[in-house]
Amino acid sequence: MNNDKDFVAIFSNGSDMRIVDGKVMGRSDFEGRVEDELKLQYVSREQVKFYLENGNLQIEELPSSKNGTWLISGGKVEKLEKGKRYKVNPGDEINFSKSVTVRIEEQ
């Protein structure tokens, strides 16, 4: 499938990580990329999964997520429901367990 767009997650220390279709993001992805690593104890090992379909990025909170995930889009904050996919736009932020946040950008 040709997705035509590349998306990256921007961490609080300015580093980035390319998001590919099927990418599962959790605690280990944040190690060394946030100022306060003590906050990582609240992030699940496997918290969300990303999907790329027709050039659009989607996110789904996984059943293993323990402390919730929030999508911040256009000033609106929405708590994700497990098993439901949400569209993610460039500039949106994803908050993991009210502890750490990444910004999504298009490359």
Side-chain angles (χ1 to χ4, degrees):
M1 179 186 322
N2 183 5
N3 291 307
D4 298 328
K5 296 180 184 178
D6 287 324
F7 292 92
V8 293
I10 310 292
F11 295 86
S12 62
N13 72 352
S15 65
D16 62 45
M17 178 182 64
R18 185 168 176 256
I19 299 173
V20 296
D21 185 48
K23 167 67 181 160
V24 173
M25 185 181 272
R27 184 181 316 125
S28 66
D29 294 299
F30 290 93
E31 291 173 354
R33 297 178 178 200
V34 295
E35 291 81 26
D36 185 358
E37 292 208 5
L38 287 176
K39 291 182 177 181
L40 296 182
Q41 65 184 319
Y42 303 108
V43 178
S44 297
R45 187 180 336 237
E46 293 186 340
Q47 188 148 337
V48 299
K49 185 173 185 177
F50 289 98
Y51 301 90
L52 284 168
E53 293 182 358
N54 302 317
N56 294 308
L57 181 64
Q58 297 178 347
I59 187 173
E60 173 186 3
E61 184 173 38
L62 296 172
S64 58
S65 175
K66 302 283 188 236
N67 294 312
T69 307
W70 288 260
L71 176 63
I72 304 154
S73 182
K76 180 182 170 191
V77 179
E78 185 172 11
K79 186 176 188 312
L80 303 188
E81 293 178 34
K82 292 179 182 181
K84 181 178 175 186
R85 292 186 187 184
Y86 296 81
K87 184 177 181 190
V88 180
N89 297 301
D92 286 355
E93 294 182 335
I94 301 165
N95 180 277
F96 293 75
S97 308
K98 294 188 177 179
S99 298
V100 293
T101 301
V102 297
R103 186 179 75 250
I104 303 300
E105 294 295 347
E106 189 177 334
Q107 261 189 341

